[in-house]
Amino acid sequence: MAKQSESSQVNRSKQRSLWSLVGMAVVMFGFAFALVPLYDVFCDITGINGKTAAGPTVASQRIDSNRQVTVEFVAYISPGMKWTFEPEVRRMVVHPGETKTVNYAARNLTSTTTVGQAVPSVTPGLGARYFNKIECFCFNRQPLAAGESAQLPLIFYVDPELPDEIHTLTLAYTLFNVQPTDTAQTQ
């Protein structure tokens, strides 16, 4: 009788452990699922990560001609993306509120049509909310035929409300292949 009671206790202990493990797995899955939206909220609140607005804005109605801000332009290409991609100007001094245009040059080096998508980031992260894009190639996917080149325009302004301690903004684009398959990248 004592052996049966002991066996029953061991089974309950194993069952409790099993349910604890299942519960922890569910909690970890839920946390992983919620991590991206939580990170986005955290970045919005703190102003870090350099995310800019996902869509166009209208031109500024006010120009602060007493102040100058340096805007640097950087371009990266994701590994395996066989394009050239670079800004035509690396650095520009602007007055906050002043609308400016910069072109990026892109060229498809593959033998088939490839579709690229540029993702922007601004440093310092706090400055991202003050960098406004009126028109940007990053709003759309960019298909380029084999060997084709394109001028990709960016029309922007820096908000006059940019904090005084920020004197330089760096806008970096990373270009990704957004085709459903990677066949174009292997040719």
Side-chain angles (χ1 to χ4, degrees):
M1 186 80 168
K3 210 138 181 54
Q4 207 172 26
S5 173
E6 191 177 302
S7 174
S8 174
Q9 241 178 351
V10 169
N11 284 340
R12 273 183 272 164
S13 178
K14 286 181 180 179
Q15 203 170 32
R16 217 172 321 154
S17 295
L18 176 67
W19 283 112
S20 294
L21 289 172
V22 168
M24 285 192 298
V26 168
V27 168
M28 288 188 304
F29 177 78
F31 179 73
F33 186 75
L35 196 56
V36 171
L38 288 174
Y39 181 72
D40 286 341
V41 169
F42 174 77
C43 289
D44 288 343
I45 291 170
T46 62
I48 63 170
N49 196 26
K51 287 186 174 184
T52 61
T57 186
V58 295
S60 176
Q61 299 300 313
R62 180 172 66 100
I63 296 174
D64 183 354
S65 56
N66 296 320
R67 183 171 173 207
Q68 292 184 327
V69 176
T70 301
V71 180
E72 298 173 334
F73 303 97
V74 181
Y76 300 104
I77 301 172
S78 66
M81 180 85 176
K82 294 187 167 87
W83 282 26
T84 59
F85 176 62
E86 59 188 14
E88 291 184 341
V89 175
R90 300 263 179 222
R91 175 180 287 216
M92 177 183 289
V93 177
V94 301
H95 294 288
E98 182 179 31
T99 300
K100 291 290 189 175
T101 301
V102 173
N103 287 311
Y104 279 69
R107 183 165 188 243
N108 179 356
L109 302 175
T110 68
S111 59
T112 60
T113 297
T114 307
V115 181
Q117 176 76 51
V119 177
S121 177
V122 173
T123 349
L126 178 61
R129 66 178 66 166
Y130 301 97
F131 191 90
N132 296 285
K133 297 174 293 205
I134 297 168
E135 181 182 323
C136 182
F137 57 91
C138 63
F139 297 149
N140 302 304
R141 294 176 174 200
Q142 304 298 323
L144 289 182
E148 183 180 14
S149 296
Q151 296 291 92
L152 307 174
L154 163 67
I155 302 173
F156 73 95
Y157 70 92
V158 176
D159 192 311
E161 298 300 318
L162 178 74
D164 290 335
E165 64 271 9
I166 299 177
H167 304 286
T168 302
L169 294 172
T170 301
L171 174 65
Y173 283 103
T174 303
L175 187 68
F176 293 94
N177 180 5
V178 292
Q179 294 203 171
T181 64
D182 289 337
T183 56
Q185 298 306 310
T186 59
Q187 297 180 355

